[in-house]
Amino acid sequence: AIAKHKPCDDLIARLKRELADSEKEVNKFQLKGLHSGCDDKIRKLQIDLETNISKLKRLMDEHQECPKKLSELEQQNKSLILARQLLQDQFDRLTAEHDKCKRVKLGASAPVICGIGLRMEQVEGREIEISEVIPNGTCWWLLQEEQTKSTCLEVGDVIVGVNGNRALDVNKVPELVRGVQGTIVEIEVKKKSCSFTCHCRGSGEHVLRVIRNPTSERRPNKLLDRAEV
């Protein structure tokens, strides 16, 4: 009986071994299928990582440009502040002149708008110089008088400012100089030649408060309010 069943035992043992091998193969395929999903996730993560690295590099490049852009914006802001101040000063001057005009009695002649008898030029954006003293104007009459000749405005003198405003544009300075007849315009000037005996000690820097008068063959009653160093 034992001899009869031995082949069966061998067959059963072989089948068990084959079954065990089959289970190992099945587990191997199952694990491979599980890792396939992991591989897909890893590839997606790698793509996301490369995308984020690219975005980070772009942001870093943009950040490096920030200081330059900020500097440009600061310069633009300063220019706008200066332009606003110039407009405000001009508005205040025009408002003051308008108030003077309103005080003119009804029916009286309109106020005379005039300057101080100067022509100016500005070459290639440099300083604004007096190019001509107009005959019979306020400055011309001042040049005729010995006591005011040393501090009067002459050809070649540099106009630095008018009524506290910097003289930057030769096209705008005449508008600042002109006003109602008999009113005062304050001219900051750097004279081309000034002796060391002058109060300015040769620097040539003076502030003249000149009276606006139209050109006339008769000397106006008042030409100069005062001259300061």
Side-chain angles (χ1 to χ4, degrees):
I2 292 172
K4 277 184 181 181
H5 287 292
K6 188 174 186 308
C8 293
D9 293 336
D10 293 339
L11 179 59
I12 290 170
R14 182 170 61 80
L15 289 174
K16 285 183 177 180
R17 287 194 300 270
E18 289 178 358
L19 178 61
D21 292 336
S22 297
E23 288 176 350
K24 290 180 181 179
E25 289 295 322
V26 169
N27 291 335
K28 186 187 296 184
F29 282 115
Q30 287 177 345
L31 288 173
K32 185 176 180 181
L34 289 172
H35 284 298
S36 176
C38 294
D39 293 337
D40 293 338
K41 290 182 179 180
I42 289 172
R43 280 194 295 271
K44 185 177 182 303
L45 288 172
Q46 286 176 336
I47 292 171
D48 292 341
L49 177 62
E50 290 173 358
T51 302
N52 289 334
I53 290 173
S54 177
K55 288 182 180 178
L56 179 61
K57 185 177 183 303
R58 178 172 57 79
L59 289 173
M60 290 177 67
D61 292 340
E62 290 177 356
H63 179 69
Q64 289 176 355
E65 292 293 319
C66 286
K68 181 180 177 182
K69 290 181 179 178
L70 284 173
S71 177
E72 292 174 354
L73 288 173
E74 287 175 355
Q75 291 298 326
Q76 291 176 6
N77 187 47
K78 289 179 181 178
S79 300
L80 289 173
I81 291 173
L82 178 60
R84 179 181 177 182
Q85 185 60 48
L86 291 173
L87 288 173
Q88 185 64 48
D89 293 340
Q90 189 173 4
F91 175 80
D92 293 341
R93 178 181 61 81
L94 291 172
T95 301
E97 292 180 358
H98 179 66
D99 290 339
K100 291 177 183 177
C101 292
K102 286 196 300 185
R103 289 195 292 268
V104 177
K105 290 183 179 180
L106 200 62
S109 59
V112 176
I113 305 299
C114 55
I116 56 176
L118 294 177
R119 287 194 176 95
M120 290 157 276
E121 63 180 4
Q122 184 177 24
V123 181
E124 297 179 357
R126 294 198 297 267
E127 298 170 325
I128 298 174
E129 294 185 356
I130 297 173
S131 59
E132 181 184 356
V133 177
I134 299 172
N136 300 321
T138 300
C139 290
W140 184 86
W141 281 108
L142 286 170
L143 283 170
Q144 312 309 308
E145 301 182 4
E146 198 64 36
Q147 65 269 27
T148 57
K149 188 173 183 179
S150 62
T151 55
C152 188
L153 300 168
E154 302 176 271
V155 173
D157 291 349
V158 175
I159 302 296
V160 179
V162 179
N163 291 331
N165 300 303
R166 302 298 295 173
L168 302 174
D169 188 344
V170 72
N171 296 314
K172 296 180 180 179
V173 170
E175 298 176 7
L176 299 175
V177 173
R178 290 173 60 80
V180 178
Q181 178 183 358
T183 59
I184 298 169
V185 57
E186 188 174 273
I187 305 292
E188 185 180 349
V189 63
K190 184 175 178 62
K191 296 186 64 61
K192 64 176 180 177
S193 60
C194 217
S195 65
F196 283 99
T197 57
C198 177
H199 295 298
C200 70
R201 300 297 182 187
S203 69
E205 297 176 355
H206 292 265
V207 177
L208 307 179
R209 291 172 56 83
V210 185
I211 309 298
R212 296 181 176 103
N213 289 296
T215 55
S216 173
E217 293 183 358
R218 295 183 60 184
R219 181 192 182 282
N221 293 329
K222 196 170 184 182
L223 302 172
L224 187 68
D225 181 60
R226 69 173 184 272
E228 302 172 350
V229 177

